[in-house]
Coordinates of all heavy atoms in Angstrom, one line a residue:
W34 N -7.3 22.7 -19.9 CA -7.5 23.7 -18.8 C -6.4 24.8 -18.9 O -6.7 26.0 -18.8 CB -7.4 23.1 -17.4 CG -7.3 24.0 -16.3 CD1 -8.2 24.8 -15.7 CD2 -6.1 24.3 -15.6 NE1 -7.7 25.5 -14.7 CE2 -6.4 25.2 -14.6 CE3 -4.8 23.8 -15.6 CZ2 -5.4 25.7 -13.7 CZ3 -3.8 24.3 -14.7 CH2 -4.2 25.3 -13.8
V35 N -5.2 24.4 -19.2 CA -4.1 25.4 -19.4 C -4.4 26.4 -20.5 O -4.2 27.6 -20.4 CB -2.7 24.7 -19.6 CG1 -1.7 25.7 -20.0 CG2 -2.3 24.0 -18.4
R36 N -5.0 25.9 -21.6 CA -5.4 26.8 -22.7 C -6.7 27.6 -22.5 O -7.0 28.5 -23.2 CB -5.6 26.0 -24.0 CG -4.3 25.4 -24.5 CD -4.4 24.7 -25.8 NE -5.6 23.8 -25.9 CZ -5.5 22.5 -25.7 NH1 -4.4 22.0 -25.2 NH2 -6.6 21.7 -25.8
G37 N -7.5 27.2 -21.5 CA -8.8 27.7 -21.3 C -8.8 29.0 -20.4 O -7.8 29.4 -19.8
P38 N -10.0 29.7 -20.4 CA -10.1 30.9 -19.7 C -10.0 30.8 -18.2 O -9.7 31.8 -17.5 CB -11.5 31.4 -20.1 CG -12.2 30.2 -20.5 CD -11.2 29.3 -21.1
H39 N -10.3 29.7 -17.6 CA -10.3 29.5 -16.2 C -8.9 29.3 -15.6 O -8.7 29.4 -14.4 CB -11.3 28.4 -15.7 CG -12.7 28.7 -15.8 ND1 -13.5 28.5 -16.9 CD2 -13.5 29.3 -14.9 CE1 -14.7 28.9 -16.7 NE2 -14.7 29.4 -15.4
H40 N -8.0 29.1 -16.4 CA -6.6 28.8 -16.0 C -6.1 29.9 -15.1 O -5.4 29.7 -14.1 CB -5.7 28.6 -17.2 CG -4.3 28.5 -16.9 ND1 -3.3 29.4 -17.1 CD2 -3.6 27.4 -16.3 CE1 -2.1 29.0 -16.7 NE2 -2.3 27.8 -16.2
A41 N -6.5 31.1 -15.4 CA -6.0 32.3 -14.6 C -6.7 32.5 -13.3 O -6.2 33.2 -12.4 CB -6.1 33.6 -15.4
V42 N -7.8 31.8 -13.1 CA -8.6 32.1 -11.9 C -9.1 30.9 -11.1 O -9.6 31.0 -10.0 CB -9.9 32.9 -12.3 CG1 -9.5 34.3 -12.8 CG2 -10.8 32.2 -13.3
A43 N -8.8 29.7 -11.6 CA -9.3 28.5 -10.9 C -8.4 27.3 -11.2 O -7.9 27.2 -12.3 CB -10.8 28.2 -11.3
V44 N -8.4 26.4 -10.2 CA -7.7 25.1 -10.4 C -8.8 24.0 -10.4 O -9.9 24.3 -10.1 CB -6.7 24.9 -9.3 CG1 -5.5 25.9 -9.3 CG2 -7.3 24.8 -7.9
C45 N -8.4 22.8 -10.7 CA -9.3 21.7 -10.9 C -10.3 21.6 -9.7 O -11.5 21.5 -9.9 CB -8.6 20.4 -11.0 SG -7.3 20.4 -12.3
N46 N -9.8 21.7 -8.5 CA -10.6 21.6 -7.3 C -11.7 22.7 -7.1 O -12.7 22.5 -6.5 CB -9.8 21.5 -6.0 CG -9.2 20.1 -5.9 OD1 -9.7 19.1 -6.3 ND2 -8.0 20.1 -5.3
D47 N -11.4 23.8 -7.7 CA -12.4 24.9 -7.6 C -13.7 24.6 -8.4 O -14.7 25.0 -8.0 CB -11.8 26.2 -8.2 CG -10.7 26.8 -7.4 OD1 -10.7 26.6 -6.1 OD2 -9.8 27.4 -7.9
C48 N -13.6 23.8 -9.4 CA -14.7 23.4 -10.2 C -15.2 22.0 -9.9 O -16.4 21.8 -9.9 CB -14.4 23.5 -11.7 SG -14.0 25.1 -12.2
H49 N -14.3 21.1 -9.6 CA -14.7 19.7 -9.5 C -14.9 19.2 -8.1 O -15.2 18.0 -7.9 CB -13.6 18.8 -10.2 CG -13.6 19.0 -11.7 ND1 -14.5 18.3 -12.5 CD2 -12.9 19.8 -12.5 CE1 -14.3 18.6 -13.7 NE2 -13.3 19.5 -13.8
T50 N -14.8 20.1 -7.1 CA -15.1 19.7 -5.7 C -15.9 20.8 -5.0 O -15.8 21.9 -5.4 CB -13.8 19.4 -4.8 OG1 -13.1 20.6 -4.7 CG2 -12.9 18.3 -5.4
P51 N -16.8 20.4 -4.1 CA -17.6 21.4 -3.4 C -16.7 22.4 -2.6 O -15.5 22.1 -2.3 CB -18.5 20.6 -2.4 CG -18.4 19.2 -3.0 CD -17.1 19.0 -3.7
D52 N -17.3 23.5 -2.2 CA -16.5 24.5 -1.5 C -16.3 24.2 0.0 O -15.2 24.6 0.5 CB -17.3 25.8 -1.6 CG -16.5 27.0 -1.4 OD1 -15.3 27.0 -1.9 OD2 -16.9 28.0 -0.8
H53 N -17.2 23.4 0.6 CA -17.0 23.1 2.0 C -15.9 22.0 2.2 O -15.9 21.0 1.4 CB -18.3 22.5 2.6 CG -18.3 22.3 4.0 ND1 -17.8 21.2 4.6 CD2 -18.7 23.1 5.0 CE1 -17.9 21.3 5.9 NE2 -18.4 22.5 6.2
P54 N -14.9 22.2 3.1 CA -13.8 21.3 3.2 C -14.1 19.9 3.4 O -13.5 19.0 2.8 CB -13.0 21.9 4.5 CG -13.4 23.3 4.5 CD -14.8 23.4 4.0
A55 N -15.1 19.5 4.3 CA -15.5 18.1 4.5 C -16.0 17.5 3.2 O -15.6 16.4 2.8 CB -16.5 18.0 5.6
A56 N -16.9 18.2 2.5 CA -17.5 17.7 1.3 C -16.4 17.6 0.2 O -16.4 16.7 -0.6 CB -18.6 18.6 0.8
K57 N -15.5 18.6 0.2 CA -14.4 18.6 -0.8 C -13.6 17.3 -0.7 O -13.3 16.7 -1.7 CB -13.5 19.8 -0.6 CG -12.3 19.9 -1.4 CD -11.4 21.1 -1.0 CE -10.1 21.1 -1.8 NZ -9.4 22.3 -1.6
Y58 N -13.2 17.0 0.5 CA -12.3 15.8 0.6 C -13.0 14.5 0.5 O -12.5 13.5 0.1 CB -11.5 15.9 1.9 CG -10.4 16.9 1.8 CD1 -10.5 18.2 2.2 CD2 -9.2 16.6 1.0 CE1 -9.5 19.1 2.0 CE2 -8.2 17.5 0.8 CZ -8.3 18.8 1.3 OH -7.4 19.7 1.1
L59 N -14.3 14.5 0.8 CA -15.2 13.3 0.5 C -15.2 13.1 -1.0 O -15.0 12.0 -1.5 CB -16.6 13.5 1.1 CG -17.5 12.3 0.7 CD1 -17.0 11.0 1.3 CD2 -18.9 12.6 1.2
V60 N -15.5 14.2 -1.8 CA -15.6 14.0 -3.2 C -14.2 13.7 -3.8 O -14.1 12.8 -4.7 CB -16.1 15.4 -3.9 CG1 -15.9 15.4 -5.4 CG2 -17.6 15.5 -3.6
K61 N -13.1 14.3 -3.3 CA -11.8 13.9 -3.7 C -11.5 12.4 -3.5 O -10.9 11.8 -4.3 CB -10.7 14.8 -3.0 CG -10.6 16.2 -3.6 CD -9.6 17.0 -2.9 CE -8.2 16.6 -3.1 NZ -7.4 17.5 -3.9
A62 N -11.9 11.9 -2.3 CA -11.7 10.5 -2.0 C -12.5 9.6 -3.0 O -12.0 8.6 -3.5 CB -12.1 10.2 -0.6
L63 N -13.8 9.9 -3.2 CA -14.6 9.1 -4.1 C -14.1 9.2 -5.5 O -14.0 8.1 -6.2 CB -16.1 9.6 -4.0 CG -16.8 9.4 -2.7 CD1 -18.1 10.1 -2.8 CD2 -17.0 7.9 -2.5
N64 N -13.7 10.3 -6.0 CA -13.2 10.4 -7.3 C -11.8 9.8 -7.4 O -11.5 9.1 -8.4 CB -13.1 11.9 -7.8 CG -14.4 12.5 -8.1 OD1 -15.4 11.8 -8.3 ND2 -14.4 13.8 -8.1
G65 N -11.0 9.9 -6.4 CA -9.7 9.3 -6.4 C -9.8 7.7 -6.4 O -9.1 7.1 -7.2
W66 N -10.8 7.2 -5.7 CA -11.0 5.7 -5.7 C -11.4 5.3 -7.2 O -10.9 4.4 -7.7 CB -12.0 5.3 -4.7 CG -12.4 3.9 -4.8 CD1 -13.5 3.3 -5.4 CD2 -11.5 2.8 -4.4 NE1 -13.4 2.0 -5.3 CE2 -12.2 1.6 -4.7 CE3 -10.3 2.7 -3.8 CZ2 -11.7 0.4 -4.5 CZ3 -9.8 1.5 -3.5 CH2 -10.4 0.3 -3.9
H67 N -12.4 6.1 -7.7 CA -12.9 5.8 -9.0 C -11.8 5.9 -10.1 O -11.6 5.0 -10.9 CB -14.0 6.7 -9.4 CG -14.6 6.6 -10.8 ND1 -15.4 5.5 -11.1 CD2 -14.4 7.3 -11.9 CE1 -15.7 5.6 -12.4 NE2 -15.1 6.7 -12.9
H68 N -11.0 7.0 -10.0 CA -10.0 7.2 -11.0 C -8.8 6.2 -10.9 O -8.3 5.6 -11.9 CB -9.4 8.6 -10.9 CG -10.4 9.7 -11.3 ND1 -10.1 11.0 -11.0 CD2 -11.6 9.6 -11.8 CE1 -11.1 11.7 -11.4 NE2 -12.0 10.9 -11.9
S69 N -8.4 5.9 -9.6 CA -7.3 4.9 -9.4 C -7.7 3.5 -9.8 O -6.9 2.8 -10.4 CB -6.8 5.0 -8.0 OG -7.8 4.6 -7.1
S70 N -8.9 3.2 -9.6 CA -9.4 1.8 -10.0 C -9.5 1.7 -11.5 O -9.0 0.7 -12.0 CB -10.8 1.6 -9.4 OG -10.8 1.6 -8.0
A71 N -10.0 2.7 -12.1 CA -10.0 2.7 -13.6 C -8.7 2.7 -14.2 O -8.4 1.9 -15.2 CB -10.8 3.9 -14.1
F72 N -7.7 3.5 -13.7 CA -6.4 3.5 -14.2 C -5.6 2.2 -14.0 O -5.0 1.7 -14.9 CB -5.6 4.7 -13.6 CG -4.3 4.9 -14.2 CD1 -4.1 5.3 -15.5 CD2 -3.1 4.6 -13.5 CE1 -2.8 5.4 -16.1 CE2 -1.9 4.8 -14.0 CZ -1.7 5.2 -15.4
T73 N -5.8 1.7 -12.8 CA -5.1 0.5 -12.4 C -5.5 -0.7 -13.3 O -4.7 -1.5 -13.7 CB -5.2 0.1 -10.9 OG1 -4.7 1.2 -10.2 CG2 -4.5 -1.1 -10.5
T74 N -6.8 -0.8 -13.5 CA -7.4 -1.9 -14.3 C -7.4 -1.6 -15.8 O -7.7 -2.6 -16.6 CB -8.8 -2.2 -13.8 OG1 -9.7 -1.1 -14.1 CG2 -8.9 -2.6 -12.3

Side-chain angles (χ1 to χ4, degrees):
W34 167 77
V35 169
R36 291 188 310 272
H39 284 91
H40 177 251
V42 295
V44 295
C45 307
N46 285 327
D47 292 328
C48 299
H49 290 278
T50 63
D52 203 36
H53 188 275
K57 173 183 177 173
Y58 285 99
L59 175 62
V60 166
K61 283 178 70 108
L63 292 171
N64 286 342
W66 176 257
H67 177 75
H68 294 169
S69 63
S70 297
F72 184 69
T73 301
T74 63

